[in-house]
Amino acid sequence: MEQVLAVLPEAVGELIMQLPQERKERIEEIRFRLLKPLELIINGRPEFLLAGDGPYIIQPEDGVQLLNKLSRYSLYALEEELKRGYITIKGGHRVGLAGKVITEKGEVKAIRDIGSYNIRIARQKIGSADRLVSRLYEDGHWLNTLIVGAPQTGKTTLLRDLARTASAGCRTKNIPSSKVGIVDERSEIAGSVKGIPQFVLGERVDVLDACPKAEGMMMMIRSMSPEVLIVDEIGRKEDVDAILEAMNAGVQMMMTVHGYSLEEALRRPAIFPLAEMKLFDRYVELTRTGRPGTVQGVYDRDRKPLPMEQRSSSL
């Protein structure tokens, strides 16, 4: 939380520091909405922090302080980030923005008059993919894998650890290290700041940060010759076209897709053809039942469940 506290307005930081350590460690989001109560998401549930006799109300000066700290008092330095609608800070944490959108010829040029900020707390869980490795690596190579889950079910956390495991290898399971390419369109997998990943990803990882997935996959294959390619949140037709090219080039792929269930995700128009062609060797379904990162099941290309150490277990 140190990196997050460093950018918060002083009054807000003091309120959060007063929380019990256990609750601080479970904060997932800190949400600022001007002239609205300060909201925390803890274990998936909203809570409003109290100050005196009522909830703490975010004031315009709080927004100014936050933006000044995020930009180090130079909004010009954040010009590209403001076009994307989010800023990645040290530690891999992401700050989403909402306000007046300025467009030109149908393209977003900037966000002005920012009224909402969503600070998503990034946490790396090294080893979270360990219990899945035996199902996702077979016959000397990683399997094409699709991870399915609703928001905040741990998809990116799992994908990040799979990237680390593939890069580092696993001596206990006789898995050699692989060249890993990450196309990190939303700067969430690697959490790069000025080109440097903020998470532990191993020694053999190359990252294209803030790059559209479809273009990035082709760039990565042409320039970095990855053995394993990692992308987050696929869903557009151009993503699917690039995935097909990558798989035909012999690159193994691991990716995530939004869905409240495996069946729902596979009904999406862009995903359905991939599933019908049985291009995914494995499906991993995550759920938030109990706590984030619960593995509901692992399935083969025919969507038949594979036995697990435990039927449902948290990452």
Side-chain angles (χ1 to χ4, degrees):
M1 288 289 291
E2 290 84 359
Q3 299 99 335
V4 173
L5 291 170
V7 301
L8 293 178
E10 186 175 341
V12 174
E14 289 178 355
L15 284 174
I16 291 177
M17 285 300 295
Q18 292 172 15
L19 292 172
Q21 184 64 26
E22 183 181 358
R23 292 185 67 205
K24 286 201 294 257
E25 291 175 354
R26 295 184 178 275
I27 295 175
E28 298 168 7
E29 295 180 355
I30 303 171
R31 306 189 74 111
F32 285 56
R33 299 180 181 93
L34 297 189
L35 304 181
K36 301 291 184 181
L38 171 66
E39 179 182 350
L40 303 183
I41 304 296
I42 301 178
N43 284 344
R45 297 180 179 180
E47 295 188 22
F48 298 102
L49 284 190
L50 299 179
D53 297 329
Y56 182 87
I57 304 299
I58 297 296
Q59 299 300 315
E61 52 264 35
D62 291 323
V64 171
Q65 284 187 43
L66 178 58
L67 194 56
N68 282 339
K69 289 186 176 184
L70 289 171
S71 66
R72 297 185 179 180
Y73 298 88
S74 174
L75 282 180
Y76 177 77
L78 293 181
E79 185 175 3
E80 289 302 315
E81 286 88 344
L82 291 175
K83 288 181 183 179
R84 299 198 303 260
Y86 61 85
I87 301 164
T88 302
I89 65 174
K90 188 175 181 179
H93 312 288
R94 193 176 74 165
V95 184
L97 311 168
K100 181 176 176 59
V101 176
I102 308 300
T103 62
E104 183 178 310
K105 296 181 180 179
E107 295 185 358
V108 174
K109 292 298 179 182
I111 297 179
R112 306 276 172 78
D113 302 328
I114 298 171
S116 297
Y117 302 81
N118 177 23
I119 304 172
R120 295 188 63 179
I121 310 301
R123 293 186 175 90
Q124 183 165 21
K125 294 183 179 179
I126 292 178
S128 60
D130 286 357
R131 65 183 296 267
L132 297 175
V133 168
S134 61
R135 292 301 179 205
L136 305 184
Y137 184 91
E138 287 186 359
D139 299 325
H141 66 274
W142 291 94
L143 302 176
N144 292 319
T145 300
L146 181 66
I147 301 168
V148 178
Q152 297 183 312
T153 50
K155 297 189 300 297
T156 303
T157 300
L158 176 58
L159 190 66
R160 183 185 300 126
D161 203 53
L162 284 170
R164 181 195 62 81
T165 303
S167 166
C170 183
R171 290 183 181 180
T172 59
K173 298 182 184 296
N174 198 29
I175 298 175
S177 65
S178 301
K179 293 181 293 181
V180 176
I182 297 177
V183 182
D184 201 1
E185 182 170 3
R186 301 180 303 166
S187 303
E188 282 193 307
I189 305 172
S192 298
V193 175
K194 295 185 178 179
I196 300 175
Q198 299 295 292
F199 296 107
V200 177
L201 295 172
E203 304 299 328
R204 306 189 70 196
V205 169
D206 304 298
V207 180
L208 279 176
D209 183 50
C211 179
K213 284 184 284 291
E215 293 88 337
M217 282 186 268
M218 294 300 97
M219 290 171 61
M220 189 65 77
I221 290 170
R222 287 193 295 264
S223 62
M224 305 307 293
S225 64
E227 295 168 306
V228 179
L229 191 55
I230 306 283
V231 295
D232 205 3
E233 296 289 353
I234 64 169
R236 298 177 302 171
K237 182 182 182 302
E238 50 265 42
D239 297 341
V240 173
D241 293 340
I243 289 167
L244 286 171
E245 284 205 41
M247 288 183 175
N248 287 332
V251 179
Q252 303 306 122
M253 298 207 62
M254 298 180 185
M255 65 204 77
T256 67
V257 66
H258 173 87
Y260 286 90
S261 69
L262 176 61
E263 292 305 316
E264 178 194 288
L266 298 187
R267 285 197 299 267
R268 295 178 60 176
I271 308 302
F272 181 77
L274 296 175
E276 287 297 293
M277 288 185 282
K278 298 186 178 181
L279 294 180
F280 297 114
D281 302 301
R282 293 290 184 267
Y283 299 98
V284 178
E285 184 178 16
L286 301 181
T287 178
R288 202 180 172 105
T289 302
R291 58 184 299 180
T294 298
V295 179
Q296 182 69 23
V298 179
Y299 307 87
D300 65 14
R301 63 173 57 193
D302 295 313
R303 287 173 254 174
K304 295 179 180 178
L306 298 172
M308 299 290 294
E309 294 174 13
Q310 297 176 12
R311 177 57 184 157
S312 181
S313 176
S314 172
L315 298 178

